[in-house]
Amino acid sequence: MAALLRSLRRSVTLLNTQTQLPISTELRLSTSVTDDIDKPKGPNDDYIVNPMFYNRNPRTLDFMGLSRKQSGWVLQAPYRNYYYKIIFARRNWNLDSYILHSSGNIVVSASTKEWPIKKFLYSCRDITAAKCIGTILALRCLEAGITHVFYDDMLHEKNSKKLQAFLTAVQQNNLILKEPTEKIFPIIPGIDYDSYHRIEDNKWSDDIQH
């Protein structure tokens, strides 16, 4: 029995000696920990991100279809039930394109009258110019947060090559010519006057004094 215990103690001591780390490794680990502690912190190390995000961009409601469109213009031409409408116009010497808001204001525009665009064009009224302002208008819309627009085909000539080049350039630059469907929620009145009167269900007891 004593010999067995001696052999067990011998094996345990051998295992302990094999599992010990060398001195250089221990020193290396200790220096790495001290380096992380002594490292200077940046100005944003103690910055805590607010988990609540408040979006103050009103175009988000238009993007989700929650904003109300103008109604009551079913028989009116041109259509007015839109958020943003894209318009392509040909002038005497130039080509104009702009995004018209339902309020009547122009929010984004691009035209060959602009010198940064005009100086790179051979002509301000050809198909290349139409494709150029279509590309620029789409990029400006995306920078402004407008990704969907309404296109009214009743206002333009469908067989126009300039118009087709303009629309193709707009769609190739990820501007969608269809607005999201307006979400109409059921109207829940604050007080339902058609329901039964709550007092009628109460059973009134006679006030009898004994």
Side-chain angles (χ1 to χ4, degrees):
M1 190 68 181
L4 179 62
L5 291 174
R6 270 191 230 102
S7 64
L8 287 174
R9 286 173 187 166
R10 214 175 279 124
S11 61
V12 169
T13 54
L14 287 173
L15 287 173
N16 289 333
T17 55
Q18 290 177 1
T19 54
Q20 287 180 357
L21 292 173
I23 298 174
S24 60
T25 309
E26 291 178 355
L27 291 174
R28 193 181 299 113
L29 291 174
S30 62
T31 53
S32 63
V33 172
T34 54
D35 290 341
D36 293 339
I37 295 174
D38 297 336
K39 185 184 295 184
K41 294 184 178 181
N44 297 328
D45 286 345
D46 299 331
Y47 184 76
I48 301 175
V49 179
N50 189 359
M52 298 297 294
F53 175 72
Y54 298 96
N55 193 344
R56 297 180 176 86
N57 188 358
R59 291 180 181 143
T60 306
L61 300 177
D62 302 338
F63 180 77
M64 295 186 296
L66 298 177
S67 181
R68 297 295 301 272
K69 293 183 180 181
Q70 293 188 11
S71 59
W73 305 91
V74 181
L75 303 177
Q76 181 74 22
Y79 296 114
R80 296 192 181 183
N81 53 343
Y82 58 85
Y83 299 127
Y84 303 96
K85 180 169 68 173
I86 185 170
I87 294 178
F88 176 75
R90 292 179 292 180
R91 310 300 181 188
N92 292 332
W93 302 103
N94 296 284
L95 297 177
D96 297 338
S97 62
Y98 53 91
I99 304 297
L100 184 66
H101 190 255
S102 57
S103 61
N105 299 323
I106 298 176
V107 292
V108 182
S109 64
S111 174
T112 54
K113 293 184 292 185
E114 303 177 20
W115 176 246
I117 302 174
K118 185 178 181 179
K119 66 180 180 179
F120 292 104
L121 297 175
Y122 177 77
S123 174
C124 295
R125 280 182 54 87
D126 59 356
I127 298 176
T128 304
K131 185 178 181 180
C132 180
I133 63 171
T135 302
I136 295 173
L137 181 69
L139 295 177
R140 289 179 179 178
C141 287
L142 297 179
E143 291 177 355
I146 301 174
T147 57
H148 297 72
V149 293
F150 169 71
Y151 170 66
D152 191 1
D153 55 356
M154 296 178 59
L155 299 178
H156 306 90
E157 298 179 5
K158 298 181 181 180
N159 297 326
S160 175
K161 294 183 179 180
K162 297 177 184 178
L163 176 63
Q164 296 301 325
F166 171 77
L167 296 177
T168 303
V170 165
Q171 292 176 335
Q172 287 178 351
N173 289 273
N174 300 324
L175 184 61
I176 302 174
L177 300 180
K178 182 180 180 181
E179 288 188 330
T181 306
E182 179 185 4
K183 296 179 177 61
I184 301 177
F185 299 96
I187 299 175
I188 302 176
I191 301 175
D192 190 3
Y193 293 99
D194 296 332
S195 64
Y196 61 90
H197 202 276
R198 292 177 296 174
I199 301 179
E200 295 178 356
D201 290 347
N202 295 333
K203 296 181 180 180
W204 299 94
S205 60
D206 297 332
D207 188 9
I208 301 175
Q209 297 181 4
H210 299 284

